[in-house]
Amino acid sequence: MHHELHTFYATMQKATTPEEVFGGLPSTDPVTAAKHLYRQFARLTHEDYHTAEDKPVARLAFTLLTTWWTQTQARIARGLYGTTAPTVPIVLEYKTLRYTVERTLGTGELGHTYLATDRGGAAVIVKIARNAAVNGLLEHEASRLAVLQKASKTMQTLVSYIPPFLNTFPVKDATTGQVRRVLVYAYLPGYVPLTDVRAAFPTGVAPAAFVWMFNRLLTALAFIHDVGGTGFVHGAILPPHVQIHPETHGLMLTEWGYGVAVGSRLSVMARDYVAWYPPEIAAKRPVTAATDLYQAALCMLYVLGGDVTKPTDALSNVPVRFQRFLHGCLLQNPARRPQAAWPLFEQFQTVAEAVLGPKRFVPFSLASST
């Protein structure tokens, strides 16, 4: 008799909530952790892995696991996992708007992100504030995106680098009574964060892939830093917030709740990425384009397989000229770093052509790493 199988089946029979089966999950990425556990449990309970003696129990256990897994996914998607609140469907309504949550996409420091459908069945992305305390940051994000969308009417290329923002409104949580801010975006399939790129290529992407990613990122920042005369500093150019489209080589910057005007002070940092911020932030000095360029360079070292805590360490698989170029963006004194994205972009074209030859489209796929 397979004792572990029988013990786990007994545990599931006694459980009254998904939390009693899947246990505590990290708030930063509960979806990935839950999937990892589910795969372990599925292997434990699948009848193909058991002798004839244990197959009947395995079949019952696997069926029950499927039920608990469905409930676990529902609670994570609704931001209820780990609470005592009942699992209820999320339907967000405000005036004539109505969005039905389909599944979770991720959890960030500011809110939970879901795939949803509108009244007409069109796919959208909704981001719901984690709690009322971060409502202001989501409102700030909405106002920044509204300004960027207006600017994109004259700088049309800009629109491809920012999320397609649709609307924002408050909703009252029926369980807690909290009023939380909701942001809604059109759904653009195919985009993945740089965290997924690093997971697929832990030792780093090929130099040619780094080149197009850096080109897109510098172009996005050049437009953003020029908006409104004085321009914006994104303030959180970090792996989860830089989304790329592997097939089209597109790039989009998300999480605008941290952004400020050039020359202002950054008041909020992403807590999970404090080490990614340049010295001027801790010193509470005004931020400039050089602040975003510092984080952009770190993002590129990250996808090249580097250790961002040791940014000047040599990377054996990366041409030296590329490493030196990035190191120039990572100087501790912001006045010594590049001060604008457009000139930096032009300089990078010269370096990239010298290292790899004339520009050409090189297909990129996360699947190619396996």
Side-chain angles (χ1 to χ4, degrees):
M1 182 176 71
H2 195 294
H3 293 286
E4 188 178 1
L5 168 65
H6 286 260
T7 299
F8 183 60
Y9 180 44
T11 297
M12 289 194 293
Q13 287 180 304
K14 295 176 184 177
T16 57
T17 66
E19 287 84 349
E20 293 177 62
V21 177
F22 283 82
L25 299 175
S27 60
T28 52
D29 191 1
V31 176
T32 299
K35 286 180 179 178
H36 178 71
L37 285 173
Y38 173 71
R39 286 192 292 269
Q40 290 182 327
F41 295 156
R43 184 180 179 87
L44 172 62
T45 57
H46 200 286
E47 63 177 303
D48 288 351
Y49 294 100
H50 294 283
T51 63
E53 177 188 6
D54 289 319
K55 283 184 183 294
V57 173
R59 280 193 288 270
L60 293 172
F62 189 80
T63 299
L64 186 55
L65 172 64
T66 301
T67 299
W68 283 125
W69 173 231
T70 300
Q71 293 190 31
T72 297
Q73 290 177 292
R75 289 183 66 73
I76 292 174
R78 291 157 176 74
L80 299 172
Y81 193 91
T83 73
T84 58
T87 305
V88 294
I90 288 184
V91 177
L92 306 172
E93 293 184 288
Y94 181 76
K95 297 183 178 179
T96 61
L97 302 174
R98 190 175 193 271
Y99 300 101
T100 303
V101 169
E102 302 294 337
R103 61 182 173 89
T104 186
L105 293 176
T107 298
E109 291 193 12
L110 302 186
H112 306 285
T113 306
Y114 309 99
L115 181 65
T117 52
D118 64 14
R119 282 187 182 277
V124 297
I125 292 176
V126 297
K127 181 161 70 173
I128 306 175
R130 271 182 172 273
N131 50 54
V134 298
N135 281 343
L137 292 174
L138 265 66
E139 291 167 2
H140 182 64
E141 177 170 353
S143 66
R144 282 284 179 252
L145 286 171
V147 171
L148 289 168
Q149 284 184 326
K150 182 177 180 181
S152 70
K153 293 178 181 179
T154 54
M155 295 190 295
Q156 294 183 357
T157 307
L158 173 62
V159 75
S160 64
Y161 296 107
I162 59 176
F165 177 62
L166 297 177
N167 51 60
T168 180
F169 53 87
V171 295
K172 186 174 182 178
D173 191 307
T175 302
T176 66
Q178 279 192 338
V179 175
R180 295 194 284 172
R181 175 60 49 176
V182 175
L183 272 62
V184 184
Y185 311 88
Y187 175 57
L188 298 178
Y191 281 87
V192 296
L194 293 187
T195 48
D196 284 8
V197 176
R198 178 62 182 253
F201 296 87
T203 59
V205 300
F210 148 73
V211 168
W212 72 255
M213 290 180 198
F214 201 27
N215 277 339
R216 297 293 187 275
L217 185 51
L218 289 176
T219 303
L221 291 176
F223 280 115
I224 289 160
H225 294 160
D226 285 347
V227 168
T230 57
F232 289 151
V233 171
H234 182 282
I237 305 296
L238 304 169
H241 308 158
V242 181
Q243 306 261 337
I244 64 155
H245 196 293
E247 293 183 5
T248 66
H249 291 191
L251 182 142
M252 179 169 58
L253 291 176
T254 64
E255 296 296 339
W256 282 89
Y258 301 93
V260 296
V262 171
S264 302
R265 288 174 173 79
L266 205 65
S267 59
V268 182
M269 292 191 294
R271 291 172 298 177
D272 292 341
Y273 287 87
V274 172
W276 290 66
Y277 285 82
E280 61 265 28
I281 304 303
K284 300 187 183 303
R285 296 173 59 186
V287 296
T288 65
T291 305
D292 277 349
L293 294 174
Y294 177 99
Q295 291 189 326
L298 274 187
C299 282
M300 293 299 99
L301 278 176
Y302 174 77
V303 298
L304 285 168
D307 181 350
V308 298
T309 65
K310 302 174 182 177
T312 57
D313 281 5
L315 300 174
S316 60
N317 60 330
V318 180
V320 172
R321 289 194 65 176
F322 285 154
Q323 295 185 60
R324 289 176 179 168
F325 193 90
L326 293 175
H327 293 163
C329 301
L330 295 170
L331 297 173
Q332 295 296 290
N333 183 347
R336 296 183 59 199
R337 289 182 224 136
Q339 299 298 302
W342 277 130
L344 189 65
F345 173 85
E346 295 297 336
Q347 293 165 24
F348 184 61
Q349 306 315 297
T350 301
V351 173
E353 184 168 349
V355 175
L356 298 179
K359 185 182 296 186
R360 60 192 178 92
F361 186 90
V362 180
F364 179 75
S365 169
L366 298 192
S368 64
S369 65
T370 59

